[in-house]
Amino acid sequence: MSSNFGEVTVSGYLHVNSESKEPYAPEVLEQLQADAELIIARYPQKRSALLPLLHLVQSVDGYVAGRGIEFCARTLDLTDAEVSGVATFYTQYKRHPNGEYTVGVCTNTLCAIMGGDEIWDTVSSHLGIGHDETTEDGKVTLERVECNAACDYAPVVMGNWEFFDNMTPESTVELVDDLREGKTVTPSRGPNAVCTFKQISRVLAGFPDGLADEGVGAGPASLRGVELAKREGWTAPGDHEAAADEDADTHAEDPGVEGQARGRYSSQDRPAEAADTEESK
């Protein structure tokens, strides 16, 4: 692994290059501040904007650099420690330079038994890197992922969080080779081409790239249950008439709050003792 992409010691302590804390260029800082204002405006409390703001600085540096931590802290009136605590908790935030493409191989239970472990061993050996390590050319960072939330297409690999379904060791090697060669790579579902890590980080910060409706959405395997239910005439328990009568009775007994289901409490006005019913005592 190239030293430009961080160094991890036996104890796990990470060293990053000195550029991590160099100030942003004036024009970069100006754009960051303008984007940050748009993000913060979405929230009633500005500290709530920390997660998308971390994605924003990651879209500039390719990881959450020291200067990115400082920018988030100063912008949101937080301490560097508070921001670092969040940045080191979530795996989508990288604390050392990341590759242009993150390739995540799912090795959780179903994917593993369907071939995920073999895929991991093959592609890791092919690239000569392990988990959260990056190829010398800076193109691919490899990750072992616990779940890609696509079990109906196991084994699944993700490229910058775009789905590649029903993968094999051979097709995964072809995928990483194509990414390193700069070829256009089309995921199984989603946009027509995989974006770079910086580009997808900006999308995660809340800035649309206009590709939301490109390509295939839910594939046939994901829709199988819906199609089967329609064919067999299956519906949820109860009928519409009974549900309507019950709803009418509830409305008569409880006027409720406008915009809120009758007979229900919101998270703000639910009585503390509401869970202690006579039946549960």
Side-chain angles (χ1 to χ4, degrees), residues 9-246:
T9 68
V10 175
S11 65
Y13 184 79
L14 178 66
H15 302 276
V16 296
N17 55 49
S18 58
E19 295 177 358
S20 174
K21 291 191 175 183
E22 290 183 1
Y24 287 110
E27 64 275 12
V28 174
L29 182 59
E30 182 180 1
Q31 184 62 55
L32 270 175
Q33 290 171 333
D35 289 340
E37 288 180 7
L38 294 175
I39 293 173
I40 293 170
R42 304 172 192 155
Y43 300 91
Q45 297 183 34
K46 65 179 182 179
R47 65 178 296 150
S48 299
L50 177 55
L51 297 183
L53 222 60
L54 284 168
H55 283 299
L56 179 65
V57 296
Q58 191 161 253
S59 75
V60 173
D61 291 314
Y63 70 113
V64 181
R67 60 188 177 186
I69 292 288
E70 294 173 357
F71 173 80
C72 291
R74 304 300 172 265
T75 302
L76 301 177
D77 296 331
L78 299 172
T79 65
D80 289 359
E82 288 174 314
V83 176
S84 293
V86 173
T88 55
F89 182 83
Y90 296 103
T91 57
Q92 279 191 321
Y93 301 127
K94 309 300 181 182
R95 291 311 313 276
H96 56 92
N98 198 74
E100 191 172 347
Y101 300 96
T102 296
V103 174
V105 180
C106 183
T107 55
N108 210 332
T109 308
L110 184 57
C111 278
I113 63 175
M114 294 293 286
D117 285 340
E118 184 181 358
I119 289 174
W120 170 264
D121 291 341
T122 300
V123 73
S124 177
S125 176
H126 176 72
L127 294 176
I129 56 176
H131 172 69
D132 200 27
E133 293 183 345
T134 303
T135 53
E136 289 283 348
D137 58 10
K139 290 291 185 179
V140 172
T141 294
L142 189 61
E143 286 188 341
R144 182 191 293 270
V145 180
E146 277 302 302
C147 183
N148 278 329
C151 302
D152 42 352
Y153 290 100
V156 174
V157 173
M158 297 197 88
N160 284 347
W161 299 291
E162 300 293 354
F163 289 107
F164 291 85
D165 303 325
N166 302 314
M167 297 296 279
T168 65
E170 294 74 22
S171 63
T172 306
V173 167
E174 182 180 0
L175 167 64
V176 296
D177 284 349
D178 286 348
L179 290 172
R180 296 182 74 184
E181 292 172 12
K183 295 182 179 179
T184 298
V185 175
T186 303
S188 303
R189 290 169 283 147
N192 296 330
V194 175
C195 298
T196 67
F197 182 75
K198 288 184 178 181
Q199 289 171 331
I200 201 65
S201 293
R202 185 168 176 81
V203 173
L204 292 172
F207 296 94
D209 58 5
L211 305 180
D213 296 322
E214 274 193 6
V216 178
S222 301
L223 298 174
R224 179 61 178 156
V226 175
E227 294 169 352
L228 182 61
K230 288 182 178 179
R231 189 183 72 194
E232 300 295 332
W234 295 340
T235 59
D239 55 58
H240 297 297
E241 290 76 16
D245 291 341
E246 181 181 356

